[in-house]
């Protein structure tokens, strides 16, 4: 069973490799061009500065099998209790339970951090990811047809949401 732990700067090359594999070979991200290590370093620093987790699933040999994070859904104050998450796995780690462990850890962290809802955006053709999210209590809340494109075709985005905990809405102007 992989160990789930907070990512460190030393994990960024593996996080980068996993993400760039998805960029080049999948519609899990609509990025078309691989990203640089420098851009991942900036992303990681921004996550840390914002108090948002970056988690890794690590195998017995210390190899990073996958990573997960969440951040703001949208920048306006009215969305401050909602986060959007990402989970990415190395191809060899898919279907081995690492994704489930990472998502469970993200849900627990977001709940402990006082968030109300978590959102995932998934390619509309990725039935496996949609079912995966549904298994964790996410439900489809919107499908945006042909809003993305990759590999020479139009793509639908499906938004899935899970309420993490019941809470009163903050007062006007409060986070």
């Amino acid at each position: 069973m992989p160990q789930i732990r907070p990512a460190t700067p030393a994990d960024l090359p593996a996080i980068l490799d996993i993400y760039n594999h998805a960029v080049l070979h999948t519609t899990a991200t609509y990025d078309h061009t691989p990203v640089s290590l420098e851009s991942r370093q900036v992303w990681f620093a921004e996550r840390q500065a914002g108090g948002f987790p970056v988690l890794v699933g690590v195998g017995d040999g210390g190899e990073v099998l996958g990573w997960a994070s969440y951040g703001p859904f949208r920048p306006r104050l009215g969305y401050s209790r909602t986060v959007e998450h990402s989970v990415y796995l190395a191809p060899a780690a898919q279907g081995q339970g690492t994704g489930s462990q990472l998502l469970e850890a993200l849900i627990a962290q977001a709940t402990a951090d006082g968030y109300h809802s978590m959102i995932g955006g998934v390619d509309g053709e990725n039935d496996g990811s949609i079912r995966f999210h549904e298994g964790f209590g996410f439900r489809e809340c919107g499908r945006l047809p042909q809003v993305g494109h990759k590999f020479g075709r139009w793509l639908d985005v499906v938004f899935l949401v899970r309420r993490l905990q019941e809470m009163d809405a903050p007062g006007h102007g409060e986070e």
Side-chain angles (χ1 to χ4, degrees):
M1 222 25 148
Q3 174 194 2
I4 305 301
R5 63 165 172 77
T8 69
D11 297 317
L12 289 176
I15 289 171
L16 177 72
D17 288 346
I18 291 167
Y19 185 75
N20 281 340
H21 183 273
V23 168
L24 292 171
H25 301 285
T26 77
T27 56
T29 174
Y30 291 177
D31 272 346
H32 289 210
T33 306
V35 300
S36 68
L37 181 58
E38 293 77 21
S39 74
R40 279 291 108 165
Q41 291 166 334
V42 169
W43 167 84
F44 186 70
E46 289 172 346
R47 286 290 198 249
Q48 288 189 316
F52 298 111
V54 178
L55 305 175
V56 289
V58 181
D60 293 336
E63 70 281 10
V64 175
L65 303 173
W67 64 270
S69 185
Y70 63 76
F73 171 59
R74 291 195 169 180
R76 292 176 186 83
L77 182 60
Y79 296 107
S80 65
R81 299 287 87 202
T82 299
V83 291
E84 184 172 6
H85 76 282
S86 298
V87 177
Y88 287 89
L89 299 174
Q94 294 177 0
Q96 306 299 312
T98 304
S100 293
Q101 286 183 274
L102 285 165
L103 186 52
E104 285 173 4
L106 275 188
I107 290 168
Q109 184 68 55
T111 303
D113 287 346
Y115 289 103
H116 179 63
S117 297
M118 181 178 277
I119 293 176
V122 176
D123 179 64
E125 294 177 359
N126 193 338
D127 294 331
S129 185
I130 293 169
R131 282 192 310 275
F132 170 75
H133 281 84
E134 289 172 344
F136 284 90
F138 286 80
R139 63 176 176 76
E140 185 174 326
C141 60
R143 183 176 289 260
L144 306 176
Q146 296 188 3
V147 296
H149 62 88
K150 193 169 183 182
F151 303 133
R153 65 185 197 274
W154 289 107
L155 303 169
D156 298 352
V157 174
V158 173
F159 283 105
L160 298 121
V161 64
R162 175 184 162 148
R163 184 157 313 136
L164 300 170
Q165 57 191 322
E166 293 301 323
M167 61 174 52
D168 292 333
H172 184 73
E174 295 177 2
E175 198 168 317

